[in-house]
Amino acid sequence: MQMTIEKLNEIQERNKELVALRKLIAEQASEMLEHSQYRKQILVCGGTGCTSSGSKKVIDALEAEIKEKNLTDVLVVKTGCFGLCALGPVVIVYPEGAFYSQTTVEGAKRIIDEHIIGGKICKDLLYPETVCENGEILPLNATRFYKKQMRIALKNCGVIDPENIEEYIALDGYKALHKVLTSMSQDEVIETMLASGLRGRGGAGFPTGKKWAFAKASKGDIKYVCCNADEGDPGAFMDRSILEGDPHAIIEAMAIAAYTIGAHEGYIYVRAEYPIAVDRLKIAIAQANEYGLLGKDIFGTGFDFNLEIRLGAGAFVCGEETALMTSIEGKRGEPRPRPPFPAVKGLFGKPTVLNNVETYANVAQIILKGADWYSSIGTETSKGTKVFALGGKITNVGLVEVPMGTTLREIIEEIGGGIPDGKKFKAAQTGGPSGGCIPACHIDTPIDYESLSRIGSMMGSGGLIIMDETTCMVDIAKFYLEFTCEESCGKCSPCRIGTRRLLQLLEKITAGKGTMEDLDKIEELSSHMKVSCLCALGQTASNPVVSTLKYFREEYLAHIVDKTCPAKKCKALLKYRIVSDKCKGCTLCARNCPVKAIKGTVKQPHVIDGDKCIRCGVCMSNCKFGAIIKD
Amino acid sequence: MDNENRPVFRGTPKQERELKKVIEKHKNQPGGLMPTLQEAQGIYGYLPYEVQKMIAEGLGVPLSEVYGVATFYSQFSLTPKGEHRISVCLGTACYVKGADKILAAIEERLGIKTGECTPDGLFSIESCRCLGACGLAPVMTVDGEVYGKCTPESAVKVIESYLSKEV
Amino acid sequence: MKKMIHLKINNIPVTVPEGTTILQAAKTANIEIPSLCYLKDVNCIGACRVCVVEIVGRRGLVASCVYPVEEGMEVLTNTPLVRSSRKTTIELILSTHHKKCLSCVRGNNCELQKLAYDYAIDEDRFKGEEPIYKIDDSAPYVVRDNNKCIQCLRCVSTCDKVQTVGAIGQIRRGFDVHVGSPFEIGLGATSCVGCGQCIVSCPVGALYERSNIDEIWDAISDPKKKVVFFTAPSIAATLGECFGMPVGTNVENKMVQAIKMLGDVSVFNMNVTADLTIMEEANELLERLKSDKPLPMFTSCCPGWIKFCEHNYPELLPNLSTCKSPQGMFGALLKSYYCQKNNIDPKDLYVVSVIPCTAKKFETSRPELSNAGIPDVDVAITTRELSRMIKGAGIAFKDLEGAEFDNPFAIASGAGALFGATGGVMEAALRTAACLIDGTNEKLEFMDVRGTSGIKEATYRIAGTEVNVCVASGLGNARKVIEMIQSGEKNYLFVEIMACPGGCVNGGGQPVQSDSVRNYSELKAKRASVLYHADKEGELRLSHENPVMTMLYDEYFEAPGKAKAHSLLHTHYTPRNKF
């Protein structure tokens, strides 16, 4: 179909109210609903988090119930991620904006019976924080989790049905592409991007406008735009959520980028571990083609743009831009030296622009709302917002988007709801295996590119892992090194061998065999890899080691000098001991010990033979008197 | 893997026809090797010598290159997987919540290591890097079904439930 | 004219054309930046990180082998940071390397060992887990020892990009990455053509020929055996390098004398069968023109090319000249004519060919090149192996006065000598053709087919018609030529193909020259100049004027292509699997 602005407007009008009310609540929304064919809308999160906790069963139950009760005026919408993954499956009912968390199949039935039919919200099923003492229901935006958030990249996530292009269009979708194609020159787009201050959200923070300008300036008959959706940082899922919740935002932005640099073909490189995101993308691309928003002569302007999906196959290094392009070319995903930069010689040797998902998610809105609007958000050098995947030892595990400059404390204590089980915050890790840890003393650091790198971490792609006092920092450094070691492509010698040697030194330390000389070697190897490796994977591989060594040196020393692990994590350094006062001599521990390391006679205090003990912890978990402790 | 120790190839004519179609589809596509390998693994479950050879011949790529790509990416497998594929997430969020202990418990229960398959071909264990279900950490999957908020005990129970289904 | 770039390297002003790398630019300031993975025309991937340098104003270090110069750039190649980085990198590489230098074939010219010395490294500082690999000796010509491999990938690049054979590649990733054949099936089971170019590009001892030296010593000391050697044209041009003589020294007479000093052996000149090849091949070409046999005709002297064709272009086998290679012809000649004439039982004649080539080791094992189970050539050894025998025998090679080849196979034409360089077979054939067909021997030098470029074309007027010929060296170039022929883009009558870039002077069995020689000088051209010089200086420059030819045809073969010649000097080929 040939898309025109008239048709686009018509689709928008047709769907506008249906979608708009999901951003409102109560009276306004009810009013809006009067014109609608639907009396109630039930939104269920269909993101990976909620799907994993059973949202599909909830949707099936809701739909079965609706069918059975013949409720033709109730709409069930499967959306993308709401953000509060720990509370999934998440269900929200409009116009009330009632936010049900951890919904079960039974709960779904009650929602239909009591809430939809009976008109009475099931308050006991709601997210507790949204229920006030006086029984009033708070809108989601008023909860601690959402209050300080600002949603730009995630604007449509949890709002629209990502498998329905018309809902995207209803919220100004593809308007930016129309604007660019019909009223802006390539240079004007670049100017806007530059003025907005948008920087790459993949981690390095390179100004997006500059990247586009370089690629535009490169001569070439064929150029490419690529999207990096190979979200490799373990514990990060921002890009996945955007693709699952708002795939058209990426397609539209890539088309804008293509127009700007003069490309007609694009590739989205997605991790194969993201089946839902891939499915939604496929549907979105097919719909965009059907609606004439991809393909030939878009909006009748003569601009052609085709988009293809390529799946990764399990290689973290393919998140590096040159490796990603090598992988799209069907080869071993090894990075290439730069220069030449991709803007000059990229995919298949042609000028190429590569941005990550979250970067693209900002583009259409910058075009529509203007560079001034965007640059008014954030800090001096870092504009806009940043999405973080908040995980680890934190109450509200989930997806958050905050303006640049928000402090770590705000994210952890307010949005994240603090550390569970009354434990103490120890450190946060940003940037995943390439980043560093931020200790408690820097918790008030505003989050922007420069501040984070100043304290030895980095913005990274948005993984934010919270650690408490039970996390051993040497062990966590070892964990990251294991990761990079396994994911090193092996092309350059400092990374191929350096990561392995670094890991071996850390293993030695956590096994209680480390020496002070090993610490020197760790420092030497770390700084060697930083300057000598071919790509960012190797250059940053030592960051988790360097930063933990910087802030938690005493923990390393405890492992090396005292042969103890303060967090009681490193098995080889643990000692299980029976407190003789508490031991009743029940012999349960001795009978359960797999290596017969516990000696003692009935009704007499038992003793653990430290040389035989393999530190499996079975005795401790079996003791009914709390007589066994580890130190 | 030594040439002599390669498992016997039991491909069917139907699988071969499907593979030929896949090869035809990607033959003239730039960078078609990766998608071909992915779809071939979908057909056969793994990428044995015979399959890679057909791909090399079909796409006109040296076998050494096909094999190089197949051994570079961790999702390609050269050996058959178990009937039930267990995957434990070792992403950071799961790791700080004790995913290593879950993996160890499953390895102990089945008597195999990660990357191996039980002698009866019933189970294979893999580890993966972040399924994105960090909210449910620690997480494992069996045949794609996600099991969240695991403990070593609950994980072993899940495995046993599959075992009892088999008997 | 390329734009010139001005920069400073260690404060020395340098001006070089745009696109030059820092490593190349540094050489103009007399600075040789060390490297391991970089090899001119072969491998340029910036992977080993030994060639790192600092650029003022830029964070970190860059690999000078891939980094192009920029206007106003200031490069520092010898700062504390650079030195310590190189040292640590070399120490890391050595921590995974089997340091068996005493028994290593490259013990005296290993590039890694040299760097370890230059940077005074401590080999134990980063000691740790070392990968252990099985040695691949499944092929009769090349042995691969991954325990010594340093992942520079020069061999892979040679095999895959230069030769387009792709018998070996990278396997797995990270610390486990290694070079090998697919599914580790062993080189012998792959489509490896045995060219040995991987050996001469390896900086360490991870690749070497399967040595046959011991068998030869056994034969020499066996009183029942009569041992004869014959040496290929290019050996005289390169053997001196093994004894520290400058590249481009002709050591023919020293070589002959040295071999004679190994024991009671005869030494023959393989250029004789090069002349014989011209006789037979020229005749075959004329016959093809008269009949409906397929054209163009391809030369068949190079066993690497033959095996490549068998694996990759079985449809072209009818286009290959049926002539055996000069080695094959010589073997057949010795085990028939020579034995009969001298009353030797072919079983007791032990034939050693000295060749610049590892593929010829494979050729000796071909059943087509044997008679009643007795191989025509018993063993083929490389230039390197010959030098080890000479050294092992304690011969002061450089001081030898020299000796002549033994009769009856001593005299050969200059045309035969040219076989050792790319274009040489073509030139020898063109000389004879011009002379025999047009009756003129004024034109002896065919400059269009000379030089080291990979593909050379020429058109000559012979017998009143324009004849297109093509010369390719390096199998990647051969592939290009074949594709052009098959697509109909080009039309040739006669095509010469040599598997090794530059021809036999740069063969896989030739002395290994380090990267500093290969990167900064024209090794192939210097070696080839020995052959062209010998041809020019010699009196006999036409194959068919060689009196040995007259003798052979008069006494034995009657005429080219006749029954006896056909059965002894010609062969056939077998299609092989692509992988």
Side-chain angles (χ1 to χ4, degrees):
Chain A
M1 136 172 144
Q2 176 71 63
M3 181 53 80
T4 60
I5 188 65
E6 291 75 25
K7 278 187 204 160
L8 196 73
N9 286 335
E10 187 210 308
I11 297 170
Q12 181 172 25
E13 276 313 307
R14 206 182 329 127
N15 294 280
K16 201 169 191 169
E17 295 193 342
L18 183 77
V19 174
L21 76 94
R22 296 178 199 157
K23 294 206 147 185
L24 310 166
I25 51 148
E27 288 96 69
Q28 284 169 287
S30 327
E31 215 169 280
M32 222 175 228
L33 265 186
E34 281 171 20
H35 315 286
S36 167
Q37 63 178 111
Y38 297 111
R39 185 169 58 84
K40 300 271 184 201
Q41 291 193 27
I42 308 174
L43 274 59
V44 187
C45 174
T48 296
C50 284
T51 303
S52 300
S53 46
S55 71
K56 190 157 180 319
K57 284 183 195 139
V58 171
I59 294 174
D60 290 346
L62 287 171
E63 279 174 346
E65 205 72 2
I66 286 168
K67 204 174 160 203
E68 199 191 308
K69 307 270 159 70
N70 200 22
L71 304 170
T72 49
D73 54 356
V74 177
L75 178 69
V76 177
V77 185
K78 186 170 77 181
T79 69
C81 184
F82 283 82
L84 253 178
C85 306
L87 295 174
V90 164
V91 174
I92 184 160
V93 179
Y94 287 107
E96 300 87 343
F99 186 87
Y100 294 104
S101 61
Q102 292 176 312
T103 314
T104 57
V105 171
E106 290 69 39
K109 286 182 186 151
R110 279 186 56 202
I111 291 171
I112 296 290
D113 286 343
E114 298 171 27
H115 183 167
I116 305 294
I117 300 176
K120 207 168 156 268
I121 295 171
C122 314
K123 286 192 180 161
D124 59 317
L125 300 181
L126 291 179
Y127 174 38
E129 220 194 296
T130 59
V131 188
C132 299
E133 277 173 24
N134 61 8
E136 223 175 283
I137 293 172
L138 280 177
L140 212 47
N141 294 345
T143 60
R144 288 211 302 172
F145 183 71
Y146 287 101
K147 214 189 299 177
K148 288 220 164 169
Q149 291 201 45
M150 180 186 229
R151 299 202 145 201
I152 296 175
L154 299 175
K155 153 180 107 95
N156 291 336
C157 289
V159 176
I160 62 165
D161 174 358
E163 295 180 12
N164 184 351
I165 190 172
E166 299 206 348
E167 292 201 356
Y168 177 70
I169 293 172
L171 291 172
D172 294 325
Y174 291 103
K175 282 276 172 70
L177 178 60
H178 178 263
K179 180 177 174 186
V180 162
L181 291 183
T182 55
S183 67
M184 289 175 85
S185 69
Q186 293 169 306
D187 289 330
E188 279 167 348
V189 181
I190 290 171
E191 275 309 309
T192 307
M193 296 316 293
L194 283 173
S196 75
L198 177 64
R199 294 167 65 175
R201 296 291 190 251
F206 193 79
T208 306
K210 251 192 194 169
K211 215 180 223 185
W212 292 13
F214 284 141
K216 193 223 155 204
S218 285
K219 288 191 185 74
D221 46 344
I222 298 173
K223 295 182 184 181
Y224 293 102
V225 287
C226 293
C227 174
N228 185 349
D230 189 51
E231 194 168 40
D233 172 3
F237 49 93
M238 305 73 54
D239 296 346
R240 193 210 70 216
S241 300
I242 294 171
L243 291 176
E244 286 175 358
D246 197 13
H248 287 285
I250 307 308
I251 297 173
E252 184 178 5
M254 287 182 75
I256 291 170
Y259 164 77
T260 309
I261 69 158
H264 300 289
E265 273 177 74
Y267 288 93
I268 304 182
Y269 187 89
V270 198
R271 289 182 83 198
E273 291 93 329
Y274 287 174
I276 300 177
V278 173
D279 278 351
R280 302 235 168 105
L281 258 180
K282 279 185 187 159
I283 294 170
I285 289 174
Q287 288 181 347
N289 272 306
E290 187 193 326
Y291 279 67
L293 294 161
L294 277 178
K296 288 221 167 305
D297 195 18
I298 298 169
F299 284 116
T301 58
F303 171 68
D304 305 337
F305 183 56
N306 287 306
L307 202 48
E308 260 189 62
I309 300 176
R310 283 299 164 89
L311 297 189
F316 173 69
V317 69
C318 290
E320 197 276 345
E321 60 175 6
T322 59
L324 184 144
M325 290 185 281
T326 317
S327 184
I328 293 179
E329 289 167 5
K331 301 179 196 149
R332 293 166 58 87
E334 291 176 358
R336 316 193 263 245
R338 295 173 304 184
F341 288 92
V344 179
K345 213 173 162 198
L347 186 62
F348 299 115
K350 305 292 181 188
T352 304
V353 149
L354 174 78
N355 290 113
N356 101 319
V357 174
E358 191 189 334
T359 316
Y360 279 128
N362 287 289
V363 169
Q365 294 175 74
I366 292 172
I367 297 292
L368 287 181
K369 298 187 184 168
D372 291 345
W373 161 75
Y374 196 80
S375 63
S376 70
I377 305 160
T379 65
E380 190 56 37
T381 54
S382 305
K383 301 298 183 192
T385 57
K386 178 79 196 89
V387 183
F388 287 99
L390 196 52
K393 305 285 182 66
I394 184 99
T395 306
N396 295 332
V397 173
L399 202 63
V400 303
E401 182 171 0
V402 290
M404 294 278 190
T406 305
T407 66
L408 202 54
R409 186 188 296 279
E410 288 171 288
I411 296 180
I412 296 168
E413 293 180 358
E414 297 180 39
I415 298 172
I419 317 290
D421 305 328
K423 296 264 166 52
K424 246 172 63 195
F425 169 74
K426 185 173 189 176
Q429 173 92 9
T430 59
S434 308
C437 71
I438 304 167
C441 64
H442 286 306
I443 195 169
D444 288 309
T445 307
I447 291 192
D448 63 32
Y449 292 96
E450 280 68 27
S451 308
L452 286 179
S453 63
R454 214 173 296 131
I455 56 171
S457 186
M458 67 187 282
M459 179 71 91
S461 61
L464 182 55
I465 303 288
I466 309 302
M467 301 162 197
D468 67 14
E469 58 205 83
T470 63
T471 313
C472 167
M473 299 315 279
V474 187
D475 181 66
I476 212 74
K478 192 183 85 180
F479 166 78
Y480 280 117
L481 243 300
E482 266 167 16
F483 179 88
T484 35
C485 201
E486 200 171 297
E487 296 296 337
S488 161
C489 77
K491 180 173 179 175
C492 80
S493 344
C495 177
R496 178 180 69 246
I497 311 167
T499 50
R500 178 56 66 108
R501 296 293 176 247
L502 210 46
L503 174 62
Q504 280 167 355
L505 289 166
L506 289 169
E507 282 171 346
K508 211 175 147 191
I509 292 173
T510 55
K513 293 174 183 153
T515 63
M516 292 304 286
E517 201 196 342
D518 291 333
L519 221 46
D520 296 339
K521 276 189 195 166
I522 286 177
E523 283 176 329
E524 189 193 331
L525 268 181
S526 297
S527 50
H528 172 63
M529 286 165 60
K530 202 182 181 83
V531 295
S532 309
C533 285
L534 170 61
C535 83
L537 184 144
Q539 287 159 8
T540 59
S542 59
N543 280 355
V545 187
V546 174
S547 73
T548 48
L549 204 46
K550 179 174 173 189
Y551 294 117
F552 298 95
R553 197 180 181 90
E554 73 287 349
E555 243 177 89
Y556 280 84
L557 294 179
H559 285 73
I560 294 169
V561 182
D562 309 334
K563 307 291 177 201
T564 59
C565 172
K568 303 200 184 351
K569 166 80 188 168
C570 298
K571 238 181 166 183
L573 296 175
L574 293 182
K575 275 192 203 87
Y576 284 87
R577 186 162 60 86
I578 296 175
V579 184
S580 47
D581 295 355
K582 288 188 179 174
C583 179
K584 308 281 187 223
C586 74
T587 74
L588 190 62
C589 57
R591 278 182 280 134
N592 277 298
C593 176
V595 290
K596 306 272 172 261
I598 303 178
K599 293 263 166 329
T601 44
V602 186
K603 294 192 177 158
Q604 293 297 313
H606 283 45
V607 184
I608 300 175
D609 180 347
D611 293 337
K612 276 191 182 172
C613 174
I614 56 164
R615 299 158 184 99
C616 66
V618 168
C619 53
M620 191 168 153
S621 58
N622 275 319
C623 181
K624 295 191 172 76
F625 311 102
I628 301 177
I629 55 169
K630 58 178 177 184
D631 47 21
Chain B
M1 189 181 12
D2 275 343
N3 202 18
E4 307 87 59
N5 299 336
R6 275 204 310 259
V8 185
F9 177 58
R10 299 182 206 282
T12 63
K14 184 170 167 274
Q15 286 174 320
E16 191 170 330
R17 278 196 302 277
E18 282 177 53
L19 179 62
K20 290 249 161 78
K21 257 188 249 160
V22 168
I23 291 172
E24 208 43 50
K25 185 170 71 181
H26 295 296
K27 198 175 167 143
N28 296 313
Q29 177 188 31
L33 178 55
M34 287 265 289
T36 308
L37 286 171
Q38 280 159 337
E39 289 177 45
Q41 180 153 303
I43 296 170
Y44 289 92
Y46 71 119
L47 295 170
Y49 175 78
E50 291 76 6
V51 171
Q52 291 195 31
K53 208 168 147 221
M54 276 188 268
I55 292 173
E57 273 161 8
L59 296 180
V61 174
L63 182 58
S64 57
E65 193 179 322
V66 177
Y67 187 70
V69 170
T71 55
F72 183 86
Y73 297 96
S74 59
Q75 285 190 343
F76 293 129
S77 173
L78 300 183
T79 49
K81 292 281 166 201
E83 214 167 293
H84 300 295
R85 298 175 60 165
I86 304 162
S87 184
V88 178
C89 177
L90 287 186
T92 319
C94 288
Y95 183 80
V96 297
K97 290 193 171 175
D100 50 339
K101 293 198 185 91
I102 289 160
L103 191 60
I106 296 173
E107 285 180 343
E108 201 195 315
R109 174 64 188 81
L110 294 176
I112 52 169
K113 293 264 162 227
T114 305
E116 292 176 351
C117 184
T118 51
D120 58 7
L122 225 43
F123 291 98
S124 54
I125 314 176
E126 303 150 43
S127 63
C128 65
R129 301 290 191 192
C130 199
L131 298 162
C134 307
L136 304 173
V139 168
M140 66 180 247
T141 65
V142 182
D143 302 337
E145 181 84 19
V146 180
Y147 297 89
K149 298 184 180 164
C150 289
T151 63
E153 295 77 30
S154 76
V156 168
K157 271 197 193 126
V158 169
I159 306 302
E160 279 165 355
S161 75
Y162 280 83
L163 258 178
S164 60
K165 268 183 233 165
E166 289 295 330
V167 182
Chain C
M1 187 62 194
K2 267 199 171 169
K3 198 174 130 194
M4 298 306 282
I5 303 286
H6 308 82
L7 68 154
K8 277 186 182 166
I9 301 179
N10 298 349
N11 266 323
I12 307 168
V14 169
T15 304
V16 289
E18 191 177 16
T20 307
T21 63
I22 294 175
L23 185 125
Q24 290 162 337
K27 178 69 179 172
T28 65
N30 295 319
I31 296 162
E32 279 186 20
I33 298 173
S35 68
L36 278 174
C37 66
Y38 173 68
L39 195 62
K40 194 176 75 176
D41 303 331
V42 174
N43 201 30
C44 192
I45 56 175
C48 75
R49 314 308 284 177
V50 169
C51 71
V52 290
V53 296
E54 257 185 270
I55 298 175
V56 176
R58 196 188 182 287
R59 263 194 311 168
L61 301 170
V62 304
S64 61
C65 69
V66 287
Y67 207 100
V69 293
E70 288 160 13
E71 188 61 41
M73 182 188 250
E74 287 183 51
V75 178
L76 300 171
T77 71
N78 191 26
T79 65
L81 181 66
V82 167
R83 279 195 307 271
S84 82
S85 168
R86 288 181 188 164
K87 185 173 172 165
T88 307
T89 297
I90 299 163
E91 282 174 337
L92 284 172
I93 292 173
L94 266 162
S95 78
T96 61
H97 180 79
H98 274 208
K99 294 167 276 287
K100 295 188 174 169
C101 304
L102 290 180
S103 57
C104 183
V105 287
R106 295 291 298 276
N108 62 348
N109 67 344
C110 171
E111 292 174 33
L112 181 60
Q113 198 181 57
K114 178 185 180 295
L115 284 176
Y117 175 83
D118 292 351
Y119 284 84
I121 67 98
D122 175 345
E123 66 176 41
D124 282 336
R125 224 154 57 91
F126 295 108
K127 207 157 50 178
E129 184 189 346
E130 282 181 42
I132 295 172
Y133 296 101
K134 219 174 103 190
I135 292 176
D136 178 3
D137 54 1
S138 60
Y141 38 86
V142 179
V143 182
R144 289 184 48 254
D145 181 358
N146 267 340
N147 300 304
K148 288 178 182 161
C149 176
I150 56 164
Q151 306 306 324
C152 72
L153 301 186
R154 287 187 195 173
C155 59
V156 171
S157 197
T158 301
C159 190
D160 190 43
K161 297 201 175 66
V162 178
Q163 299 294 62
T164 66
V165 168
I168 48 172
Q170 284 172 279
I171 298 171
R172 304 187 62 168
R173 72 176 184 215
F175 194 71
D176 301 325
V177 75
H178 60 278
V179 174
S181 47
F183 288 86
E184 320 276 1
I185 52 178
L187 211 50
T190 68
S191 57
C192 169
V193 302
C195 69
Q197 282 298 306
C198 53
I199 298 177
V200 289
S201 47
C202 183
V204 295
L207 283 153
Y208 46 92
E209 68 274 40
R210 171 86 75 95
S211 176
N212 299 97
I213 293 177
D214 291 345
E215 298 156 48
I216 300 170
W217 285 124
D218 288 347
I220 288 175
S221 49
D222 185 342
K224 284 206 297 282
K225 298 270 187 203
K226 161 75 184 159
V227 178
V228 296
F229 279 68
F230 59 84
T231 60
S234 63
I235 312 297
T238 57
L239 183 64
E241 293 169 29
C242 297
F243 299 92
M245 297 163 82
V247 174
T249 311
N250 189 342
V251 294
E252 182 177 294
N253 299 100
K254 287 185 198 295
M255 169 185 78
V256 173
Q257 190 185 359
I259 298 174
K260 287 182 174 175
M261 289 168 74
L262 296 176
D264 181 18
V265 303
S266 298
V267 186
F268 298 136
N269 188 352
M270 194 166 128
N271 302 16
V272 169
T273 45
D275 283 336
L276 191 56
T277 301
I278 291 301
M279 301 299 291
E280 291 292 325
E281 216 161 58
N283 177 68
E284 184 186 350
L285 186 60
L286 292 174
E287 291 295 321
R288 276 179 191 254
L289 281 169
K290 278 186 246 164
S291 70
D292 55 355
K293 282 196 181 155
L295 288 168
M297 185 173 85
F298 290 87
T299 57
S300 58
C301 313
C302 170
W305 148 241
I306 296 298
K307 192 158 183 270
F308 181 78
C309 192
E310 288 177 328
H311 282 294
N312 296 281
Y313 298 101
E315 71 276 15
L316 283 183
L317 295 181
N319 292 59
L320 290 182
S321 162
T322 58
C323 289
K324 286 181 183 172
S325 70
Q327 167 178 278
M329 286 191 183
F330 219 128
L333 198 56
L334 288 168
K335 297 253 164 128
S336 59
Y337 170 80
Y338 180 78
C339 280
Q340 284 167 31
K341 213 174 164 186
N342 295 285
N343 243 334
I344 304 171
D345 183 341
K347 278 207 298 285
D348 296 330
L349 183 71
Y350 193 82
V351 177
V352 180
S353 76
V354 185
I355 31 77
C357 177
T358 42
K360 282 204 157 68
K361 281 181 183 275
F362 172 78
E363 193 188 63
T364 60
S365 70
R366 281 182 180 259
E368 307 93 271
L369 303 186
S370 64
N371 189 10
I374 304 168
D376 292 345
V377 174
D378 291 272
V379 289
I381 56 166
T382 63
T383 316
R384 298 187 293 266
E385 287 171 277
L386 177 61
S387 78
R388 284 185 91 176
M389 289 185 78
I390 294 169
K391 285 174 185 169
I395 296 162
F397 185 83
K398 277 209 256 188
D399 302 330
L400 298 179
E401 278 170 10
E404 298 291 333
F405 282 114
D406 290 313
N407 278 321
F409 306 117
I411 303 167
S413 75
L418 298 188
F419 269 52
T422 169
V425 178
M426 183 60 72
E427 183 164 352
L430 289 169
R431 281 182 191 175
T432 289
C435 197
L436 291 184
I437 300 167
D438 291 343
T440 158
N441 59 357
E442 278 166 23
K443 188 166 171 70
L444 287 174
E445 294 185 350
F446 293 80
M447 302 310 279
D448 292 347
V449 296
R450 292 190 180 185
T452 54
S453 66
I455 298 175
K456 294 167 282 188
E457 295 178 286
T459 305
Y460 296 106
R461 241 188 132 68
I462 293 173
T465 48
E466 303 263 294
V467 173
N468 294 327
V469 297
C470 179
V471 172
S473 72
L475 292 171
N477 292 319
R479 195 182 281 277
K480 276 187 211 150
V481 168
I482 291 169
E483 276 165 13
M484 288 191 292
I485 293 170
Q486 291 188 329
S487 71
E489 190 189 332
K490 297 281 182 178
N491 191 13
Y492 304 114
L493 182 72
F494 188 36
V495 181
E496 177 205 301
I497 292 180
M498 295 292 162
C500 296
C504 306
V505 284
N506 189 39
Q510 294 287 29
V512 181
Q513 287 291 355
S514 73
D515 58 349
S516 62
V517 174
R518 291 184 55 165
N519 289 344
Y520 301 123
S521 68
E522 295 302 325
L523 181 65
K524 292 176 274 197
K526 266 193 203 165
R527 286 174 172 174
S529 72
V530 174
L531 304 176
Y532 287 109
H533 190 75
D535 167 51
K536 201 170 179 134
E537 297 296 299
E539 281 169 16
L540 186 60
R541 298 188 72 185
L542 289 158
S543 295
H544 62 277
E545 287 180 357
N546 181 353
V548 182
M549 295 303 110
T550 323
M551 173 189 81
L552 286 173
Y553 283 104
D554 285 355
E555 286 184 22
Y556 203 64
F557 293 124
E558 288 178 55
K562 288 282 183 214
K564 199 172 241 173
H566 204 272
S567 74
L568 282 173
L569 306 179
H570 291 256
T571 183
H572 60 273
Y573 310 104
T574 333
R576 291 171 198 269
N577 287 339
K578 197 157 182 187
F579 301 116

